[in-house]
Amino acid sequence: MVPFVLASASPARRRLLQQIGIDPIVQPSNFDESVIQATTPIELVRLLARCKAETVAQTHLPPALILGCDSVLVLGGEIYGKPASTEVAIARWQRMRGQTGHLLTGHALIDLAQGRTCVEVESTQVVFADISDAEIAAYVASGEPLACAGCFALDGQGGAFVEKIIGTPSNVIGLSLPLLRRMLLSLGYTLPALQSKK
């Protein structure tokens, strides 16, 4: 079986892969995101996903598949990654509540055996509930928003504050499973070939 490497420290991304039978080797890239300059959110997540995958790919020999991902929330023309502090997280939620944002996730899949790279972006609409200041304060105090792009985790406590998802739910968690399947197919792989046999 071809080793599948997840170039991310995200437990949520690892769980999503395990959900479809892929037990990845987890190797965070520790890539310095501050060096990336991009003019659009789509370009930003594409570049970051690719750089993360390429950084980890340098430490592996063929055959191996390396997946890098990066997510941001776009709302009102602003790009939201992980909030830098509780104060930032509270201010963001005060802007986000009752609004609709777009969660963008860049996916970069490198196939070392073929020397090929596939890079795609998935966008999902997220409709946020109009929550109170007290709810925001309690949620931010839980610590969960500080670890998440867009200041919320759909698969955690933040799920209570999302009224509607228009698009792929797994993308909002950090990795579009349907898109990953299509990317694998484009490189000549099927899911059953990568699923760990129990």
Side-chain angles (χ1 to χ4, degrees), residues 66-148:
I66 318 291
L67 177 65
C69 296
D70 191 79
S71 299
V72 298
L73 178 74
V74 181
L75 189 144
E78 288 190 66
I79 299 173
Y80 296 155
K82 291 179 184 175
S85 66
T86 55
E87 292 76 18
V88 169
I90 288 169
R92 283 191 187 173
W93 260 105
Q94 288 171 341
R95 289 195 292 273
M96 286 160 50
R97 60 182 169 194
Q99 304 296 313
T100 299
H102 289 83
L103 198 294
L104 303 177
T105 301
H107 303 65
L109 187 61
I110 298 175
D111 180 6
L112 291 180
Q114 301 181 73
R116 295 173 63 196
T117 301
C118 180
V119 184
E120 300 287 347
V121 177
E122 182 90 70
S123 176
T124 305
Q125 271 186 279
V126 183
V127 181
F128 295 104
D130 190 7
I131 63 178
S132 67
D133 285 346
E135 287 175 303
I136 291 172
Y139 181 42
V140 172
S142 76
E144 182 179 275
L146 299 174
C148 305

Side-chain angles (χ1 to χ4, degrees), residues 18-56:
Q18 291 172 331
Q19 179 183 310
I20 58 169
I22 297 174
D23 195 16
I25 298 164
V26 176
Q27 185 178 338
S29 69
N30 300 315
F31 179 76
D32 181 4
E33 299 185 16
S34 67
V35 303
I36 295 296
Q37 301 294 319
T39 56
T40 68
I42 289 177
E43 183 188 5
L44 177 66
V45 294
R46 281 180 65 91
L47 279 170
L48 285 172
R50 185 173 196 131
C51 289
K52 290 175 181 180
E54 287 175 345
T55 299
V56 169

